[in-house]
Amino acid sequence: MNKVKSINKKDLLGLKDLSLSEIKLILRTARSMKEVAARPIPKVPTLLGKHIITLFYEPSTRTRTSFNMAAKILSANITNVAISSSSVVKGENLIDTIRNLEVMGVDAIIIRHPMAGAPLLASKNSKSSIINAGDGFNEHPTQGLLDIFTMQEKKGNLRGKKVLIVGDISHSRVARSNIWGLTQLGAKVVVVGPPTMIPKGIEKMGVSVSYDLDKEIEDADFINMLRIQKERQGKSLFPSIEEYAKLYGLNSERMKKAKPDIVVMHPGPINRGVEMTSEIADGPYNVILDQVTNGVAVRAALLFLLLGGKSSQD
Ligand code: CP
């Protein structure tokens, strides 16, 4: 397969839209960006003069901060629009907000929105690059990319590796982006959770379904624990938090069943005592803070490639 050196797309709306070679290009570029980010002076002039805006209709710690750091590493200007003190609270709609930001000379708008499809709507109404930083239950593509980058860093080629994605698959944009990317890279993805949290027909995405974490963990290479999103559930999908944690949470007893080199992941923020105990969250198997570190490099790679950069690597 020929290696591509650029992404001929205006936007990143989801991993569903990326080819295998484009995913590999972003991951390769992220490796170079990680080296830049680790320098004593982590700054290159690549995006000097570019203007980037973050427009987050939902809270964020990791995604927004790492996009800011990524932009600054590349010498771009970045402005964070605070929705709570913007004209959105006066009722301005998304398209009007996007159009008004665009005419100020913005090159890229990074958007997080509770509605699936909001970044697509923005993209259709904007000449600026639109980057999806999470839309409803749909996709969180840069989280998927940084998860995959971290997995490759830990275990190399992912072809044939068994990846468990555990929790509320129905409400998880992180799960969807991971699935689109991991299946392209040849990983064996198993979604695990209570039947009420697994959408019907998800097998069509190329994954297996299981309700039995104790069985699946025995030969898993990676386990990605999704956050229980109380804010997105219309009704409770399990009898109690305690019951969920007992059946689908990670604790030291359950970890005894896993391979000694299993890698534990979580996109954050963690509900400690629900998805995993603190012993696991802070323990030797987890790469949760590596995921956060890698978010800067992956997002820098994406900004570089979307805003006109070409890879110089073979
Ligand atoms: N993983 C993730 O999207 O974290 P934030 O909500 O803090 O951005």
Side-chain angles (χ1 to χ4, degrees):
M1 184 174 55
N2 286 335
K3 284 184 177 175
V4 295
K5 295 204 167 189
S6 61
I7 294 184
N8 293 319
K9 287 185 168 63
K10 178 173 85 68
D11 310 306
L12 178 67
L13 303 180
L15 290 199
K16 186 182 182 183
D17 308 321
L18 291 184
S19 66
L20 178 58
S21 45
E22 287 171 329
I23 291 173
K24 287 183 172 175
L25 171 65
I26 297 169
L27 297 169
R28 280 201 308 279
T29 310
R31 285 202 284 276
S32 306
M33 291 297 171
K34 187 160 181 179
E35 182 272 311
V36 173
R39 288 178 191 168
I41 301 174
K43 208 162 186 69
V44 289
T46 320
L47 295 186
L48 200 59
K50 298 284 185 191
H51 291 277
I52 298 168
I53 281 188
T54 69
L55 182 65
F56 276 40
Y57 291 77
E58 288 183 342
S60 168
T61 298
R62 284 149 282 265
T63 310
R64 175 142 40 185
T65 308
S66 56
F67 266 119
N68 272 264
M69 292 186 68
K72 286 171 185 165
I73 287 170
L74 298 171
S75 303
N77 298 311
I78 185 156
T79 303
N80 297 301
V81 176
I83 292 293
S84 60
S85 56
S86 76
S87 289
V88 171
V89 295
K90 299 179 196 163
E92 185 167 63
N93 71 29
L94 175 64
I95 295 174
D96 283 338
T97 300
I98 293 286
R99 284 183 178 153
N100 278 273
L101 293 173
E102 182 180 77
V103 293
M104 294 181 207
V106 168
D107 297 287
I109 301 173
I110 301 164
I111 179 167
R112 172 172 285 191
H113 201 284
M115 299 300 296
L120 175 62
L121 182 67
S123 147
K124 287 181 174 166
N125 287 279
S126 174
K127 292 189 188 68
S128 308
S129 283
I130 302 292
I131 298 174
N132 181 3
D135 63 328
F137 308 160
N138 180 36
E139 281 223 42
H140 190 350
T142 55
Q143 181 71 44
L145 287 165
L146 75 88
D147 288 346
I148 291 168
F149 182 90
T150 306
M151 290 181 198
Q152 288 187 334
E153 210 174 47
K154 301 300 164 193
K155 294 203 176 202
N157 190 342
L158 299 182
R159 183 158 296 281
K161 295 282 190 301
K162 180 172 175 180
V163 183
L164 306 186
I165 305 179
V166 181
D168 186 0
I169 310 298
S170 295
H171 293 92
S172 178
R173 55 198 183 200
V174 174
R176 276 173 193 73
S177 288
N178 265 272
I179 291 168
W180 288 122
L182 286 168
T183 51
Q184 286 229 56
L185 289 161
K188 281 175 11 194
V189 181
V190 184
V191 296
V192 185
T196 48
M197 290 181 165
I198 310 263
K200 282 199 173 54
I202 191 139
E203 294 90 342
K204 288 190 198 122
M205 291 180 76
V207 302
S208 316
V209 172
S210 173
Y211 309 120
D212 187 346
L213 180 55
D214 287 313
K215 173 171 161 277
E216 299 300 337
I217 203 170
E218 286 176 4
D219 59 348
D221 296 293
F222 299 94
I223 180 164
N224 198 347
M225 305 299 291
L226 302 174
R227 182 172 71 89
I228 290 298
Q229 300 179 56
K230 295 169 197 146
E231 74 276 21
R232 288 190 208 285
Q233 291 175 10
K235 57 183 183 215
S236 181
L237 296 173
F238 45 85
S240 70
I241 290 281
E242 290 73 23
E243 181 156 344
Y244 178 85
K246 195 167 157 221
L247 288 173
Y248 296 105
L250 277 189
N251 52 44
S252 41
E253 262 322 287
R254 182 158 279 136
M255 286 301 286
K256 285 182 191 158
K257 298 180 179 166
K259 295 201 287 190
D261 64 343
I262 191 169
V263 173
V264 174
M265 307 175 72
H266 193 298
I270 304 171
N271 294 305
R272 285 174 183 257
V274 182
E275 296 97 53
M276 60 184 74
T277 58
S278 283
E279 203 181 352
I280 303 301
D282 304 322
Y285 308 99
N286 95 79
V287 296
I288 297 168
L289 292 178
D290 296 314
Q291 290 171 260
V292 179
T293 303
N294 290 336
V296 177
V298 165
R299 288 170 176 129
L302 183 69
L303 290 174
F304 168 71
L305 291 166
L306 273 188
L307 296 182
K310 280 192 172 38
S311 168
S312 57
Q313 299 163 349
D314 292 329

